[in-house]
């Protein structure tokens, strides 16, 4: 059993960090290989992590739960200073990277929560509301997928729209996510050159995400 990390300790072994962070040691090694965290080596070639690495690991795991790709997480963490413990202002700069993207994700989740029991424009025509919102699968003419879940939908009387008009496809939703990620990264770039614009803001697109799951599967923590 690893020794519990003392609150006085400024550094942690890989076992102490894994126990306190709630991840497998293999996950920490994977994060380090991917450039998300770093460690120093002792004369006996053992890893030693600074205590603020705990916050970085927590940040990585929370970001992954939101579906953010590892590449985006890596670029955001690159904004943090090297050689000293990040301050509140340092973490605030990181959070600005994803503010717009996260707002987009929140809006989509709220829409899913509020409209999943109603017609979502999938073409099933099996609910009573389908005949009103999507008569004769009219939304199918706009493209495949659940059109009503692509973006907040609804008629705009001022524009003479009818029910179901103005809804865009799932590919448009992905485009908005990519655009939000790019805008967030551009915002960060104005603060530090190390934040690189992301090409893909859609959730779960980085192959490293699957590797993290595999790395932490023994403990079920990732």
């Amino acid at each position: 059993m690893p020794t519990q990390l003392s609150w006085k300790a400024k550094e942690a072994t890989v076992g102490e960090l894994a126990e306190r962070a709630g991840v497998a040691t293999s996950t920490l090694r994977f994060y380090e290989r991917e450039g998300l965290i770093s460690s120093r080596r002792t004369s006996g070639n053992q890893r030693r992590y600074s205590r603020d690495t705990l916050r970085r690991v927590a940040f990585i795991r929370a970001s992954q739960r939101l579906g953010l790709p590892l590449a985006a997480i890596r670029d955001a963490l690159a904004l943090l200073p090297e050689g000293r413990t990040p301050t509140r202002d340092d973490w605030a700069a990181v959070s600005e990277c994803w503010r717009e993207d996260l707002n987009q994700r929140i809006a989509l989740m709220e829409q899913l929560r509020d409209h999943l029991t109603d017609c979502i424009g999938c073409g099933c025509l099996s609910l009573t509301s389908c005949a009103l919102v999507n008569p004769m699968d009219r939304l199918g003419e706009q493209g495949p997928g659940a059109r009503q879940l692509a973006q907040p939908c609804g008629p705009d009387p001022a524009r003479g729209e009818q029910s179901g008009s103005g809804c865009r496809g799932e590919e448009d939703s992905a485009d908005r996510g990519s655009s939000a990620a790019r805008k967030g990264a551009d915002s960060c770039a104005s603060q530090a050159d190390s934040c690189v614009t992301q090409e893909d803001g859609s959730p779960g697109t980085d192959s490293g995400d699957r590797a993290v799951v595999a790395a932490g599967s023994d403990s079920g923590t990732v």
Side-chain angles (χ1 to χ4, degrees):
M1 288 289 295
T3 303
Q4 184 175 357
L5 179 62
S6 170
W7 64 272
K8 297 179 180 179
K10 295 183 178 180
E11 289 188 324
T13 66
V14 63
E16 290 171 340
L17 184 68
E19 181 183 39
R20 184 64 184 85
V23 301
T25 56
S26 56
T27 300
L28 295 179
R29 295 187 182 97
F30 173 77
Y31 287 163
E32 191 166 354
R33 288 197 304 270
E34 292 296 311
L36 300 173
I37 61 175
S38 62
S39 66
R40 73 173 183 86
R41 296 299 181 105
T42 67
S43 57
N45 200 34
Q46 295 180 330
R47 287 180 171 88
R48 291 294 183 272
Y49 297 92
S50 61
R51 192 178 185 94
D52 64 276
T53 306
L54 276 170
R55 186 181 183 91
R56 293 177 187 244
V57 172
F59 177 82
I60 294 167
R61 298 185 69 208
S63 301
Q64 286 183 302
R65 290 194 186 102
L66 292 174
L68 294 166
L70 284 183
I73 299 172
R74 183 187 303 111
D75 288 333
L77 288 174
L79 287 173
L80 296 176
E82 297 182 5
R84 68 172 175 82
T85 300
T87 65
R88 181 186 180 89
D89 289 340
D90 294 326
W91 283 105
V94 171
S95 70
E96 284 299 321
C97 287
W98 298 330
R99 185 175 300 278
E100 184 175 353
D101 185 35
L102 290 177
N103 286 338
Q104 289 278 358
R105 292 170 187 266
I106 291 171
L108 289 174
M109 286 189 289
E110 288 179 342
Q111 183 190 1
L112 179 63
R113 178 198 65 196
D114 296 339
H115 298 291
L116 192 57
T117 58
D118 202 350
C119 174
I120 59 177
C122 63
C124 72
L125 303 180
S126 61
L127 298 180
T128 303
S129 56
C130 291
L132 300 174
V133 179
N134 186 27
M136 296 180 291
D137 194 21
R138 188 179 300 167
L139 291 175
E141 299 174 3
Q142 300 177 18
R147 312 303 295 176
Q148 298 282 36
L149 291 183
Q151 69 171 16
C153 299
D156 184 355
R159 296 165 55 184
E161 294 179 349
Q162 298 178 352
S163 296
S165 61
C167 299
R168 298 163 61 189
E170 293 172 342
E171 67 277 7
D172 295 333
S173 176
D175 290 341
R176 291 198 309 278
S178 297
S179 175
R182 285 192 291 270
K183 289 179 181 177
D186 289 341
S187 174
C188 288
S190 65
Q191 303 173 47
D193 293 335
S194 57
C195 187
V196 181
T197 299
Q198 294 303 303
E199 295 180 355
D200 187 359
S202 56
T205 55
D206 193 283
S207 59
D209 293 343
R210 292 190 295 273
V212 172
V213 173
S217 59
D218 53 340
S219 64
T221 55
V222 177

